[in-house]
Amino acid sequence: MNFKKHAPRPKASAMVIGRQPVVEAIQAGKAIERIFMQRNATGDIIPRIKQLAAQYNIPVNLVPVEKLNGLTQASHQGCIAITARVSYLDLQDVISHTIEQGQTPLFLILDGITDVRNIGAIARSAVCCGAQAIIIPDKGIAALNEEAVKSSAGALEKIAVCRVNSLLKAVDTLHLNGIKVMASEMEAKEKLYDCNLKEPVAVIMGSEDKGVYPALLKAADVLFHIPMQNNFESFNVSVAAGIILYEGMKQRSN
């Protein structure tokens, strides 16, 4: 018998309630995870909220009023923003800062990973192994909420997180900055330890059920696999990321 696991209701302190407060929060630079907007909401300020959300890469979920009523009993005016535990940074700014610090970029791109515990574990390994940034899409990925931060042992607050509206455009930005893009793919011929991880690289990690999005695989410069001893399914994505990051750290320390 299956039991549906319901997501916990956000704490009141994690919400910005009402149309004008949401606008003011975004304009003040408050980190916003996503905006829940009533599906049939109308009014002059609604286009402004959508414009600001697009400008700052904030996902907008159009939902029935019941969803909003379930989040708060306050007068929400058809709009609630969920504040983020993580501050999102601009990808180009992070690339420039990393290079200015004399560091060789080692980034991770997370594609379709929806388990917050996996994201938390990946962030923890990334910090331990010296990676400078994690790149995530604004949709199709788990929210970087309290549980994600807890799973990361606080690592998500110590590493640059770049949220982009298109991972393909992010790959273009990486390429323009001389950063090679690699993808972990079970069917690839090249082995992880034969890859050069000393140069500037960003590694794409896909979801366990669907893998890396085909268009992203095509955009990658190198496809590789992690060798395994037994004919089993695959490594858990967070374990795979840890192995890749450790190999990168090992190569860079030699």
Side-chain angles (χ1 to χ4, degrees):
M1 190 173 185
N2 293 325
F3 292 90
K4 185 177 180 181
K5 183 179 180 182
H6 294 277
R9 177 186 292 188
K11 297 178 182 178
S13 60
M15 296 189 292
V16 180
I17 302 169
R19 300 180 181 190
Q20 189 60 37
V22 168
V23 169
E24 292 173 359
I26 298 173
Q27 291 177 330
K30 195 172 187 68
I32 303 293
E33 185 65 41
R34 67 185 56 248
I35 296 170
F36 291 110
M37 184 178 291
Q38 190 172 326
R39 190 170 290 134
N40 57 355
T42 59
D44 293 343
I45 202 170
I46 293 299
R48 177 62 175 154
I49 295 172
K50 291 180 178 179
Q51 176 194 3
L52 286 169
Q55 181 180 343
Y56 291 95
N57 290 330
I58 301 171
V60 176
N61 290 24
L62 300 178
V63 299
V65 67
E66 290 79 10
K67 169 70 175 179
L68 300 172
N69 293 340
L71 293 175
T72 180
Q73 295 180 347
S75 177
H76 51 68
Q77 302 172 312
C79 187
I80 297 175
I82 307 300
T83 58
R85 277 297 311 270
V86 175
S87 295
Y88 298 110
L89 303 175
D90 179 76
L91 176 56
Q92 183 59 61
D93 289 347
V94 171
I95 295 171
S96 299
H97 179 74
T98 301
I99 294 172
E100 287 167 4
Q101 294 298 307
Q103 300 177 12
T104 302
L106 175 59
F107 298 168
L108 282 179
I109 302 172
L110 306 188
D111 174 32
I113 299 176
T114 56
D115 188 322
V116 293
R117 292 164 297 183
N118 278 333
I119 293 178
I122 289 170
R124 187 171 183 173
S125 294
V127 171
C128 288
C129 295
Q132 301 95 351
I134 293 173
I135 303 166
I136 64 171
D138 60 3
K139 296 177 182 177
I141 194 165
L144 303 192
N145 54 19
E146 188 78 32
E147 185 180 355
V149 173
K150 184 177 180 180
S151 297
S152 75
L156 277 169
E157 298 174 309
K158 298 179 182 296
I159 191 169
V161 180
C162 305
R163 184 169 64 183
V164 298
N165 57 22
S166 168
L167 290 181
L168 285 171
K169 289 181 181 178
V171 169
D172 288 340
T173 300
L174 293 164
H175 281 154
L176 287 171
N177 285 273
I179 299 173
K180 182 176 288 186
V181 176
M182 308 172 67
S184 175
E185 218 287 309
M186 287 184 63
E187 304 301 322
K189 293 183 179 180
E190 190 158 357
K191 298 175 182 177
L192 169 63
Y193 47 71
D194 291 329
C195 296
N196 182 3
L197 299 177
K198 292 183 178 181
E199 59 187 347
V201 295
V203 181
I204 307 171
M205 303 299 303
S207 65
E208 292 185 49
D209 54 343
K210 296 180 180 178
V212 178
Y213 182 59
L216 279 175
L217 282 179
K218 189 174 180 180
D221 303 292
V222 176
L223 302 181
F224 67 89
H225 74 278
I226 303 173
M228 298 188 300
Q229 285 292 330
N230 298 307
N231 185 23
F232 195 62
E233 289 186 8
S234 66
F235 290 104
N236 165 276
V237 65
S238 63
V239 173
I243 293 170
I244 294 164
L245 289 162
Y246 189 84
E247 176 64 23
M249 182 180 69
K250 183 183 75 172
Q251 288 188 20
R252 291 174 181 220
S253 63
N254 291 337

